[in-house]
Amino acid sequence: MKGELSLPDSVYKSELTHYRILWKNTLSNQRQVLELLSRFEINSEVIKWWFDSPDCYDELLNNPYIISEESLIENYLPVTTEMIDLGVMADPKIQGKWTPKAPSLVESVIDNRRIRSFIISKLVASLCDGDTLISANEIELYIKDCLAADNHQLPYNYLMSNKEFIEEKTVYLNTDDRCALQLKEYKEIDDYLRKIFKGRASKDVKSPVKEDWNTIVKASIDDYNEANERCRNAVADQVKALEMFCSKRLLCWQVQLEQAKLQLSKLS
């Protein structure tokens, strides 16, 4: 772009003049972002997305691992932590004299930016198994396995020492004797659903389900004996539970759904 190198046999030689004009008129921070993105073997769509997100430029230049974190969370053309490693860890054998520079440079395998990226990848992978919460112990074991390939160890109490930074993307959930981590997105979903469910659970239904629960429960019990006190008590408990179940909006819709399914099955 600066005309310092001679490329006589390049197939794009005729295009360079035009691209030099474009490059010269590209803003400084855009150049920095393009130069950073060019270090990674990532899809052109991913490059375009980040280039078209100027609000993220500062964060991206300071922490290139957010490319991996965001791609994994959104499941959009996933980029692994290791793919980012190759562009931000200096390796003159590969990069020659164009090694990465601060603030993007990563000089240690236990850099908190890198470790958080591993944490995000573990949390996202666990979603496939239906788990949104992972214990801190399990995450530590996973990171230790990742570091073992480089003959490094995870320092004691690392997750708590770097809690403030890690919590930018996750939530620490603590009990008396345990700690677990969860992606912020899923904590927000949990909070929203909890609010909705509590609201529905506190309100009575407008149109209660009208059923003779006493008769229904008795008919469901084999060899029901009206003279047996234990049988009568069992029926009373079941009736009470069904009445409560059908009186709240949170629960009643399930009964109504089953009734609708029953009606449809009769029609068919």
Side-chain angles (χ1 to χ4, degrees):
M1 289 302 179
K2 296 177 182 179
E4 296 174 357
L5 297 176
S6 176
L7 302 170
D9 299 324
S10 63
V11 295
Y12 48 81
K13 181 180 178 181
S14 61
E15 310 288 338
L16 280 176
T17 300
H18 306 288
Y19 279 107
R20 285 193 186 105
I21 296 172
L22 291 172
W23 186 252
K24 189 179 294 184
N25 289 280
T26 299
L27 297 176
S28 175
N29 61 346
Q30 289 179 318
R31 289 188 192 183
Q32 287 180 285
V33 166
L34 286 172
E35 289 173 351
L36 174 65
L37 293 172
S38 72
R39 292 183 173 277
F40 311 119
E41 191 175 351
I42 54 180
N43 190 287
S44 59
E45 291 182 47
V46 176
I47 293 175
K48 184 178 186 304
W49 190 92
W50 285 101
F51 183 72
D52 290 340
S53 305
D55 292 343
C56 299
Y57 281 3
D58 288 342
E59 184 182 7
L60 175 60
L61 291 169
N62 281 284
N63 180 13
Y65 286 100
I66 64 173
I67 299 173
S68 174
E69 293 175 350
E70 294 298 326
S71 73
L72 291 171
I73 292 173
E74 298 296 331
N75 197 28
Y76 176 74
L77 301 173
V79 178
T80 66
T81 302
E82 291 82 359
M83 290 168 69
I84 302 301
D85 285 344
L86 295 174
V88 295
M89 289 183 165
D91 188 346
K93 293 180 181 179
I94 297 175
Q95 302 150 348
K97 65 180 181 179
W98 292 279
T99 54
K101 307 297 181 185
S104 303
L105 174 65
V106 171
E107 298 181 279
S108 170
V109 294
I110 58 170
D111 187 299
N112 60 3
R113 296 171 294 180
R114 183 173 190 258
I115 298 300
R116 190 179 74 181
S117 182
F118 277 131
I119 293 172
I120 299 297
S121 66
K122 175 62 176 176
L123 289 170
V124 171
S126 297
L127 294 175
C128 297
D129 298 324
D131 298 324
T132 64
L133 285 174
I134 303 296
S135 73
N137 288 337
E138 185 176 344
I139 287 178
E140 284 185 345
L141 289 174
Y142 171 74
I143 297 172
K144 287 177 181 178
D145 287 341
C146 293
L147 295 177
D150 299 308
N151 295 317
H152 277 74
Q153 296 183 346
L154 185 70
Y156 174 74
N157 208 32
Y158 188 97
L159 294 184
M160 296 308 298
S161 300
N162 291 272
K163 181 179 178 182
E164 183 177 354
F165 177 71
I166 296 172
E167 278 195 317
E168 290 178 7
K169 296 284 185 177
T170 70
V171 177
Y172 282 59
L173 301 170
N174 297 290
T175 61
D176 291 339
D177 59 344
R178 294 189 180 185
C179 175
L181 275 72
Q182 183 178 38
L183 293 172
K184 268 192 173 181
E185 175 186 353
Y186 286 87
K187 178 62 166 60
E188 291 168 358
I189 292 173
D190 283 350
D191 290 343
Y192 173 76
L193 292 176
R194 188 177 295 107
K195 178 182 177 182
I196 296 299
F197 289 161
K198 281 185 176 181
R200 291 182 68 89
S202 66
K203 295 180 180 179
D204 294 331
V205 295
K206 295 179 180 178
S207 302
V209 176
K210 296 180 180 179
E211 295 285 356
D212 183 356
W213 296 119
N214 192 62
T215 300
I216 292 174
V217 172
K218 288 180 180 178
S220 70
I221 301 176
D222 293 334
D223 301 324
Y224 173 73
N225 184 356
E226 185 70 36
N228 188 309
E229 183 179 359
R230 292 185 63 185
C231 284
R232 294 198 305 272
N233 290 338
V235 168
D237 288 342
Q238 291 294 319
V239 169
K240 183 178 179 180
L242 286 166
E243 289 175 345
M244 180 181 67
F245 188 84
C246 295
S247 66
K248 301 298 181 183
R249 293 186 185 181
L250 175 62
L251 303 172
C252 186
W253 69 272
Q254 296 178 350
V255 177
Q256 294 169 334
L257 179 61
E258 292 303 320
Q259 288 181 326
K261 287 180 180 179
L262 180 61
Q263 292 300 322
L264 288 172
S265 64
K266 290 180 178 178
L267 290 173
S268 61

